[in-house]
Amino acid sequence: PSIVGMRRSWEQLNQLARAEVAATLAALPGPLRERAQTLPVTCERVPNASLQADGIEADTLGLFTGPAFGDEEHSVSPVPPQIILFLENLWAFAEGDEEIFRDEIHTTYLHELGHYLGLDEDELTERGLD
């Protein structure tokens, strides 16, 4: 059962996030799911100092890093493609509501997956993933 406003441990947030990412992945159409399954998802508390020094806002919910799909072989990026979810920011955004947290994990994951697939912010907004 969801207990609204209850403080969650890192392990609980991580478990909820991983379960939501798995459920979101499972609901994707086959070819998209196959492509998405190869993209690692990392969970962090908040953007670290290095990311913030690179211009990532402290309250960012998620981030796609590395080359987009299809650009990997042309990229000189030292970072492989991955999605990073910032769980403490997502929990704060959800104001401690587990259902909203799950919804935001779902939306943020799909938003960052869209970047991996080459969609820009406008195209993601058009799809309701802003």
Side-chain angles (χ1 to χ4, degrees):
S2 172
I3 301 173
V4 175
M6 189 173 161
R7 190 159 168 76
R8 297 284 183 187
S9 71
W10 169 251
E11 291 78 22
Q12 289 169 316
L13 290 180
N14 201 17
Q15 197 171 35
L16 285 170
R18 296 229 169 256
E20 188 57 42
V21 167
T24 301
L25 230 119
L28 292 174
L32 181 56
R33 183 175 57 246
E34 288 172 23
R35 188 176 296 170
Q37 285 173 326
T38 66
L39 183 64
V41 177
T42 304
C43 294
E44 310 239 342
R45 293 177 188 275
V46 296
N48 63 33
S50 174
L51 287 173
Q52 290 184 45
D54 286 343
I56 302 301
E57 297 293 327
D59 63 351
T60 296
L61 303 180
L63 182 66
F64 168 74
T65 62
F69 180 77
D71 291 341
E72 290 100 330
E73 67 258 12
H74 307 296
S75 174
V76 293
S77 174
V79 180
Q82 69 171 324
I83 291 173
I84 306 171
L85 299 175
F86 300 109
L87 301 189
E88 288 183 2
N89 289 348
L90 285 153
W91 186 246
F93 182 86
E95 298 178 344
D97 183 299
E98 188 177 303
E99 188 174 334
I100 295 171
F101 177 75
R102 288 179 200 267
D103 286 346
E104 281 307 310
I105 291 287
H106 175 86
T107 301
T108 302
Y109 172 71
L110 289 176
H111 179 101
E112 301 310 332
L113 181 60
H115 283 309
Y116 172 63
L117 298 173
L119 300 176
D120 65 22
E121 291 298 327
D122 290 339
E123 291 168 316
L124 290 165
T125 298
E126 288 169 16
R127 289 165 173 79
L129 297 172
D130 48 350

